[in-house]
Amino acid sequence: MASVAASVAAAGPKVLVAGKAAGTVLRSQMPINFLGTVDSQTGVINDPHHDLHGKSIRDVILVFPSGAGSSVGAYTIYAIKSGSVAPRAMICQRPDLTVATGCAVAGIPLIIVDKNQSVESDSILKSLQTGAQAAVDTSMPRGSIITIRGDCSSHDAAKA
Amino acid sequence: MNLTRSEEAALAGEEGEVMQIAYRILVATGEATDAERLIPIQWAHLSGVNYNTIGAAGREFLADLSSRGARVRVRTTLNPMGYDVDGADRHGLADEFVSGQESIADSYRIMGVAPSFSCIPYEIFGMPEAGSQVAFAESNAAIYANSIAGARTNKESAFSALASALTGKSPYSALRRDAEEASATRVRMKMQDPDELTYGMLGYFAGKAAGTESQVDISGIKASDMDMRQCKAVCGGMGTSGTCAKFRMVGADHDNDDDVRGSKPENVDFDRDAVRQVRDELDTAENGDIITLGSPQLGLWEMGDLVERLRGRSFKKRCLVFCPRAAKEQASAPQYRYVQALEAAGCEVMADCCTCLSPLVESDSIDAVTTNSIKGAFYMNKASGVGVELKTLLQILEDETH
């Protein structure tokens, strides 16, 4: 297992579902249970206990720790894509099968960036704050899969 | 992940769009689980059946797949749907729900899936020999397969199990490879003489304690201490609270150190405080309007046991008993007549569906439900907006029958 971890660390961001997208980052500190937390008609997070409560995940680059909860949440990801209210790409810190397979069926690019993987991954995660402009292109070399055009207030605030 | 030449071809679309989608799902699953190749599986069990959960988009996805020739390649069984097929009229369900549910059931039938509508495939069909590779999406069934039956499965998503059904394959993940690796967390069971409600709480607590790990150890009890009701309670509780796919019961001795990785697990106690924590979260109502038994669904043994415990008494309020159709038919047979006895005691015995996420148990008609199921309590509280009064089966029989 150690050798696998080492090779992943050397490689940086890991692609679970390939694709290309660009948009504004929406960042959550909490796992997302797509079944029951996301309104599949509107793409709005409707769980009052969630830090994205009331926010729409439509057309954003959605950054969150991982999926959680029911395995059927994969269908919700497909449903929000069918209804044109899905994120353009998702970036998680840990892989889980619900989000991975939902994105695979929906054709939503999905990248794993674990801050413990490398200094570079940690730095990418720190830059992926709500409001930042980010682009994902899985055909690029691994170090350039995610590019961030900073200048968001929260990121600047974090640096300052 | 390394694919064979024919798998690569299928991923590229050379076997048609259905196989291409299936292999895309398997590749994402393999990358997520650090698997290096695909291996054959012998049984898939699918979630994504209830119209309440997959909705119109899911119905159309499955109709599209089945019309494009999707057919399962291995034995495939199915989770519960939204209601008992025999009772669709008297449940007073909306036409849209019934037609959506019927379409989903039709699509699976066309694909060759057995219409088992059950969350306890391990009980009604029996499990293959230890070490067998299966792909179970229902969380309590995946945990039962890995922890009690000695089979191997990921805690599959609805789509990864479907892809495994359509291809007969699944990524060779750590859960499929490593039979006896010790866990990072050990939950020390400190409650004496546990009933099924305590076992359900233990599962729920241990699933949370495992965090992002895929398995957890439990000391202080042995798997052989548990009857079927208690086993199902642990598996159901654990399946709802986290992503943990397996528990190992490492024996009565809390300090028994068989850690093959050489590192000590982190110990967490399941004690009175832990019980209180779970109660605070899930025991949310004073007095249920109705009683539900089943999540996981009841099998033949539990129905017979319930009849015996009732001893001719009957329920004072509505009591819904959820079971698979196969178990209901068996329990109706002349040598058992459990269903007849339960109905005489005032129970409504529902096949094909379960407490969780059924439109039969929703907040517009029901404020609170009494149950002994932690899994049921979780979904009623979080998804159906219904309050829950948690009681053991014995307590329910004492308080709610005459």
Side-chain angles (χ1 to χ4, degrees), chain B residues 80-100:
Chain B
M81 48 179 255
Y83 53 80
D84 185 326
V85 169
D86 287 344
D89 303 337
R90 65 188 160 86
H91 298 324
L93 296 168
D95 289 346
E96 188 221 338
F97 191 96
V98 174
S99 68

Side-chain angles (χ1 to χ4, degrees), chain B residues 298-304 307 323-342 349:
Chain B
L298 273 63
L300 181 69
W301 173 79
E302 278 174 275
M303 285 196 271
V307 169
C323 64
R325 179 155 301 276
K328 184 174 180 179
E329 284 172 0
Q330 206 183 353
S332 305
Q335 70 267 41
Y336 298 119
R337 297 186 61 80
Y338 297 154
V339 172
Q340 294 85 337
L342 290 174
V349 181

